[in-house]
Amino acid sequence: MRHSLVLVINSGSSSLKFALIDAVSGDARLTGLGECFGLSDASVSWKYDGEKSSFALEATGNHHQQAIDRLVLLLDELGLKQDIIAIGHRVVHGGERFSETVKIDDQVLAEIEALSELAPLHNPAHVIGIRAAISAFPYLPQYAVFDTAFHQSMPAKAYRYALPEKLYQDFGIRRYGFHGTSHFFVSLEAAKLLGKPAEKTNVITVHLGNGASICAVRNGQSVDTSMGFTPTAGLMMGTRCGDLDPGIVDFLINKGWSQAEVQQALNKEAGFLGVSGLTSDCRGIVEAMEAGHAGAKLAFEIFTYRVAKYIASYMVALDELDAIVFTGGIGENSLPVRSEVLKYLKIFGYREDATGNANARFGEKGVITKPNTPMAMVIPTNEEWVIARESMALLHA
C-alpha cells in the first residue's frame, strides 16, 4: 500500500472528517471525525485496525487546526505519515470556474473562498480545513475535488432557470448540482456491472441519504440533476424541503417571518423531520410508520413518491436507460424505500426481485429487479476513494 496513500479531508463548519485511503484499492487504512468544533466538548475520534479511540480538544482555540495537529501526531504514532503521497480535499462548490480536480495554490484557495457566497455553509469551512492542512503538511501536494464538477457537463437547457439573463450573467444563478463525486463513482461502477464502457453507459443514479439527489447520466456524463443553485432543491431530504413554490417564501415574509426564520424552516426543520414531527432519520421514519404513526407514513410516502417522479422525468434526458442505480445511506440500506419506489415505476415494467433487494444491503451491491425486466441495482458509494484517485491521478500527471 506504500506510495498510494492519500489523506482525504472533508472540513465542515463544526466538524472535520478524514480518511487515509489507498487510491489503488479503495481501502481505508484510517478513518476519523472531529466534531463539536466551537464548543467546550470538541473532540476527535478515529478507527484503525478495528480499534476505536478518541481525544478531547482544548476548550478554546482553532479546533480545525487542533484536529489536524492531532491527526499529524496520530499518523506519526501509527507509522503512516511517511507513506502519504498527497492530500485530497472535498469542496462542495466550484461554481462554473472548476470543472475538474485542481492542485491547490494561493489563487485556487482565493477562488474557493470567493465562491463562498454560493455555499456559505460549506466553502468557508473548506478553506479553514485546507489552510490547517497546508500548515500541518507543507511538503505534500494538496488537491481540491469539487461536488459540482461532475455536473458541469449539463447542457444549458438543464442548468438554466427560466429567469432574466442578467441574473445568470451578473450573479451566476443556475443549477449547479451536488453529490457529484458519488454520482460519478456509482456510474462508473454500474458500467462495470453492465459490461459496458463508461462512455457508452446510460443510468439514473439515485443518491439517497440525509441529503438526496438524482442524476441522469448519458454516455458517462451528467446531463441533469435534481439539486440546483443550492442543495435545498430537488428531493425531500432529512431536514430540507426540496422543491417548493417560491411564492411560499414571499408569503411567509409577508406574514412577518425573517429571512433567517424562512431559511431555518426550509433547510433545518423540513423534510422527514418536518412532515413526521419525529425524526430526520429514515430508519426512525420506517420504524414509526410500521408502528402506525400517521406522520411517519406520510413522510415515507412523500419521499418515495418524489424519488419515483424524478426518476421517471429523467428518462426524458436519456436516449436509452441501462439501469437505475441506488446509493447513499438510504439508497444502499433501506429495502422498504427501494421497494416502494419500484412499485411506483411499475408502469415502465420494473418488477422487484425481493430476494435480490434483501441481499443488496449493508455494503453489498446487486441487481434488485427480476430477470427480463428493466434493471435497477444497488451500488455502495465511495466518495473518499474518488477524491483519493483524482488526487493521485493529478499528482502523477
Side-chain angles (χ1 to χ4, degrees), residues 23-292:
V24 175
S25 68
D27 294 334
R29 297 289 306 280
L30 169 74
T31 59
L33 172 66
E35 56 189 335
C36 300
F37 290 0
L39 302 176
S40 59
D41 57 346
S43 65
V44 178
S45 58
W46 60 88
K47 183 177 181 180
Y48 178 72
D49 277 350
E51 297 289 328
K52 295 181 179 180
S53 303
S54 62
F55 178 83
L57 301 177
E58 295 178 13
T60 59
N62 184 338
H63 285 150
H64 287 83
Q65 189 66 61
Q66 288 183 38
I68 292 287
D69 290 344
R70 183 64 186 89
L71 175 58
V72 173
L73 291 176
L74 175 62
L75 292 168
D76 259 337
E77 292 166 2
L78 298 176
L80 297 170
K81 184 179 176 183
Q82 69 275 11
D83 294 334
I84 301 173
I85 60 171
I87 299 178
H89 294 270
R90 180 215 179 194
V91 178
V92 163
H93 219 307
E96 291 186 320
R97 167 65 180 84
F98 297 106
S99 59
E100 58 188 4
T101 299
V102 295
K103 185 176 181 180
I104 297 172
D105 56 23
D106 290 341
Q107 181 179 346
V108 167
L109 192 56
E111 291 176 336
I112 292 172
E113 193 164 25
L115 287 164
S116 292
E117 65 177 356
L118 297 181
L121 299 179
H122 297 94
N123 277 35
H126 297 325
V127 170
I128 293 171
I130 291 169
R131 285 183 172 145
I134 290 173
S135 174
F137 300 94
Y139 55 90
L140 284 175
Q142 310 212 16
Y143 301 93
V145 182
F146 299 90
D147 273 9
T148 50
F150 182 56
H151 303 301
Q152 285 298 297
S153 54
M154 289 191 296
K157 65 182 179 182
Y159 73 71
R160 284 291 300 273
Y161 292 117
L163 293 171
E165 172 77 11
K166 64 180 180 181
L167 295 182
Y168 171 62
Q169 296 295 339
D170 294 349
F171 305 119
I173 297 178
R174 52 157 287 178
R175 183 180 304 279
Y176 288 101
F178 302 91
H179 293 141
T181 51
S182 178
H183 291 298
F184 172 64
F185 177 80
V186 297
S187 67
L188 290 181
E189 293 299 300
K192 295 176 184 177
L193 285 179
L194 292 164
K196 299 183 67 173
E199 64 274 13
K200 293 183 179 180
T201 299
N202 300 277
V203 293
I204 295 174
T205 52
V206 185
H207 179 107
L208 304 179
N210 189 54
S213 66
I214 294 180
C215 182
V217 181
R218 184 172 65 209
N219 296 326
Q221 293 190 320
S222 170
V223 292
D224 207 345
T225 191
S226 58
M227 283 183 168
F229 181 67
T230 73
T232 308
L235 301 174
M236 168 182 165
M237 306 175 217
T239 62
R240 296 178 190 143
C241 62
D243 290 340
L244 84 165
D245 181 345
I248 294 171
V249 175
D250 190 49
F251 176 84
L252 291 174
I253 289 176
N254 287 336
K255 287 292 185 181
W257 285 43
S258 68
Q259 180 183 356
E261 287 173 325
V262 172
Q263 291 305 313
Q264 175 75 9
L266 301 187
N267 286 289
K268 301 294 184 181
E269 299 171 354
F272 279 137
L273 177 62
V275 176
S276 71
L278 289 175
T279 178
S280 63
D281 192 308
C282 184
R283 292 166 295 187
I285 293 293
V286 171
E287 290 173 4
M289 176 183 69
E290 292 174 345

